[in-house]
Structure formats: structure tokens, C-alpha cells
Amino acid sequence: QVQLVESGGGLVQASGTLRLSCAASGSIFRFDAMGWYRQAPGKQRELVAYITNGGRTNYADSVKGRFTISRDNVKNTVYLQMNSLQPEETAVYYCSAGNYRRPAYYPNYWGQGTQVTVSS
């Protein structure tokens, strides 16, 4: 059974930073890729970033240059460093794991989500 547990969410002021963590049960190498999504109230869930086993990364245009996804294969953990956060990025952030068929990422597993609130 796959378990993904997010942590690191919270309340931050505009232009602030947060680092989210996603700890997986077992080796993350069993997944082609892992990623982060977010869902704001009343909006669809959207991809924020993903990282493949080979280290290839992809970001939503809106976060390029501000967010960084990384992975620690020893700790079986994926991180999302978020800088210069804006109020419109308030959302529940979800960790995911799944398949990668270039050039797309297909999540199969989800964490429970962690709330990120950015105050103006």
C-alpha cells in the first residue's frame, strides 16, 4: 500500500517562503515520477511541478523561477521549496506519485494534502 504524507504547510505572509515535504512509504524509485498539485477553493486541481527518477523537472509557468522541486532518494522524500508566495497561491497542496510517459506525468497515488495560506 502506498502512503504519501505531506507536511510543511501553514500560514505565511505574501512574498514569504515555505518548504513542503512528502514522505513516501517505501522506495520512491518504484514510481516513474513524483509531483505536487494544488487546489484552491472553487478551482480545479492543477499541477505545480513534478520530478522524474532521472531528475527531470517540470514546472507550471506560474511558479517557474520561484518554486523548486527536489528529491532525497535515501529518505524517500520529495520537497517543494516555495519562494515569493502570493495570496492567490493559497490552496491545499497535494503530493502525488505515478507514471511518466514523456512528456507527461500521470499521478496514480495521492497524499491527504497540506494547507498553504498566504496572507496579503
Side-chain angles (χ1 to χ4, degrees):
Q1 184 177 357
V2 175
Q3 286 189 321
L4 303 173
V5 180
E6 302 100 332
S7 60
L11 175 65
V12 64
Q13 289 187 331
S15 302
T17 65
L18 279 176
R19 188 175 84 152
L20 305 182
S21 300
C22 172
S25 58
S27 173
I28 59 175
F29 273 114
R30 54 196 161 133
F31 311 117
D32 290 343
M34 295 187 69
W36 289 93
Y37 283 71
R38 65 188 179 190
Q39 187 167 19
K43 295 188 177 181
Q44 289 189 330
R45 191 173 297 190
E46 63 174 356
L47 176 66
V48 176
Y50 67 79
I51 183 167
T52 70
N53 272 343
R56 179 188 299 270
T57 58
N58 184 275
Y59 296 91
D61 287 342
S62 61
V63 307
K64 284 180 180 176
R66 298 186 297 119
F67 289 15
T68 302
I69 189 169
S70 62
R71 55 191 288 155
D72 185 326
N73 296 324
V74 174
K75 295 182 178 179
N76 295 315
T77 300
V78 174
Y79 303 97
L80 184 68
Q81 177 68 42
M82 304 186 294
N83 299 331
S84 300
L85 282 160
Q86 299 304 311
E88 57 268 28
E89 296 181 299
T90 293
V92 178
Y93 284 69
Y94 295 91
C95 177
S96 65
N99 299 323
Y100 177 67
R101 297 293 180 264
R102 189 174 179 177
Y105 166 58
Y106 301 93
N108 294 322
Y109 304 99
W110 298 91
Q112 81 286 353
T114 185
Q115 177 71 44
V116 171
T117 302
V118 186
S119 63
S120 57

